[in-house]
Amino acid sequence: MSFELSREHEEFRRSVRDFAEAEIAPHVAQWDRDHHFPVDVVHKMGALGLFGLTAPEEYGGAGLAPEDGPFTSLCLAIEELGRVDQSMGITLEAGVGLGINPILTYGTDAQKEEFLPPLVAGEKLAGFGLTEPGAGSDAGATKTKAELVGDEWVVNGSKQFITNSGSEITSLVTVTARTGTRDNGNAEISTIIVPSGTPGFTAEKAYDKLGWHISDTHPLSFEDAHVPAANLLGEKGRGFAQFLATLDDGRVAIAALAVGLIQACRDLCVEYALERQTMGGPIGRKQGVAFQIADLDVMLQAGRLLTYKAAAMKDAGAPVKEFKQAASIAKLYTSESAVTATRIATQVFGGYGFMEEYPVARFYRDAKILEIGEGTSEVQRMLIARGLGLPVK
């Protein structure tokens, strides 16, 4: 299997890079300070076709065949956005991987026709409601409940850390909820689509976060929120399995976001190390600086290959077990490397790296969540070990 990008992929990468440099880079520092979510830029991303890369033409998507690499294209877009700003990268990642993908994969024809077109066009966004106050890595501990009363689901519970869930263009969230109890006593978990504006569904005040200041993130509450029975997504009782599969794709997308961050750190460090003069010459002539920047390039090249390999496997329809392993490996390596890369970049910049006027400070704050979202590093190590046949718990 070759992971070399096609000419079309390289051209697409350049188009997204040009977009990010023109539409995001000039404003990102101010947006970050203001915690501003730029809806107009999301719409422009939609007009560029970024939200429709993995969707068929009938819903307004690109309609790319598997051999054209639609998932690889999505990862390239996330990488290039993330190179300029991680928040806008996660907005696309969550909008497609966690918003569109569950409906596209498991939805009925009626659900797809109703919900997908505005999401694919980037006119609306959707959230992915899995994490709860007591159910993060242990997603099976979900407490939110959905009871079928007549021809409606009545949803009660709460979710937290949900991306794209409370913006002015959020149209829905899909949530996991207990819908019964299995014969073995375990909870039966299903997935329910809850449209924005549903009485009893509230997106609470946005979080005050360490990083990703531009991204839209809220806790959610459900108090007797009534939605039609037809809003069940996929089969009853299959919600947990559906969301685990969704997270596999998301891990590769997070890896792409991390690669974009490592790329930014390497480029900024090379530029600064050539320009910054001390003791009669550029700091890049000092091994203590140059060797650290060399390490950044190793992280970048290795992380990119791991990510592209996993994306190519997804496009090629690789066996689920093999893809899951590749996704976890890519996510673990790139996310931890990204955190290291920002630490190195901040050190190379010295005191300036601690100043918010320089992008390395923002990248430093943004990096840590990459080791947490879509499954923590500990979860990835557990999954990788299980993939090797080890009975780890």
Side-chain angles (χ1 to χ4, degrees), residues 138-154:
D138 182 14
T142 295
K143 300 297 184 185
T144 298
K145 295 182 179 180
E147 181 182 3
L148 189 61
V149 179
D151 59 355
E152 291 184 322
W153 291 104
V154 182

Side-chain angles (χ1 to χ4, degrees), residues 105 112 126 163 248 266 268 329 366:
T105 305
K112 294 175 184 178
T163 304
D248 289 334
R266 189 206 67 175
L268 289 167
I329 290 171
D366 286 343

Side-chain angles (χ1 to χ4, degrees), residues 10 15 77 99 101 103 129 149 157 177 198 207-208 250-251 272 281 353 357 368 377 381 384:
E10 290 290 5
S15 71
N101 190 42
I103 298 173
V149 179
T198 298
Y207 291 104
D208 187 9
R251 284 164 184 152
Y272 187 76
E357 63 185 285
K368 183 57 187 175
S377 291
R381 287 185 167 89
I384 293 167

Side-chain angles (χ1 to χ4, degrees), residues 90-297:
I90 195 60
T91 297
L92 176 63
E93 188 276 336
V96 178
L98 305 181
I100 291 171
N101 190 42
I103 298 173
L104 183 62
T105 305
Y106 305 109
T108 64
D109 289 342
Q111 289 170 340
K112 294 175 184 178
E113 291 171 3
E114 178 179 359
F115 298 117
L116 284 181
L119 297 176
V120 170
E123 297 169 357
K124 298 291 184 180
L125 292 170
F128 172 95
L130 177 65
T131 302
E132 297 183 1
S137 296
D138 182 14
T142 295
K143 300 297 184 185
T144 298
K145 295 182 179 180
E147 181 182 3
L148 189 61
V149 179
D151 59 355
E152 291 184 322
W153 291 104
V154 182
V155 183
N156 285 280
S158 62
K159 300 290 180 178
Q160 67 178 11
F161 311 144
I162 311 303
T163 304
N164 294 346
S165 62
S167 75
E168 64 185 78
I169 57 172
T170 298
S171 62
L172 63 94
V173 294
T174 53
V175 299
T176 51
R178 291 173 175 253
T179 52
T181 304
R182 300 188 184 279
D183 293 339
N184 61 6
N186 292 336
E188 174 192 81
I189 298 176
S190 304
T191 311
I192 311 291
I193 299 172
V194 183
S196 299
T198 298
F201 165 37
T202 304
E204 306 290 352
K205 181 181 177 182
Y207 291 104
D208 187 9
K209 297 171 292 188
L210 170 67
W212 284 4
H213 288 171
I214 301 171
S215 170
D216 177 80
T217 318
H218 297 260
L220 309 177
S221 63
F222 304 89
E223 298 181 9
D224 290 334
H226 291 244
V227 299
N231 281 25
L232 176 71
L233 183 63
E235 298 179 28
K236 185 172 179 286
R238 293 288 297 167
F240 189 54
Q242 292 166 2
F243 272 78
L244 287 179
T246 298
L247 287 175
D248 289 334
D249 292 4
R251 284 164 184 152
V252 184
I254 289 290
L257 186 60
V259 169
L261 190 152
I262 300 168
Q263 175 84 63
C265 288
R266 189 206 67 175
D267 293 349
L268 289 167
C269 285
V270 169
E271 180 181 7
Y272 187 76
L274 290 172
E275 292 179 352
R276 177 77 163 103
Q277 300 287 315
T278 183
M279 299 179 186
I283 63 172
R285 69 177 179 170
K286 304 293 186 180
Q287 290 184 2
V289 173
F291 286 5
Q292 291 190 80
I293 298 175
D295 288 341
L296 291 181
D297 198 54

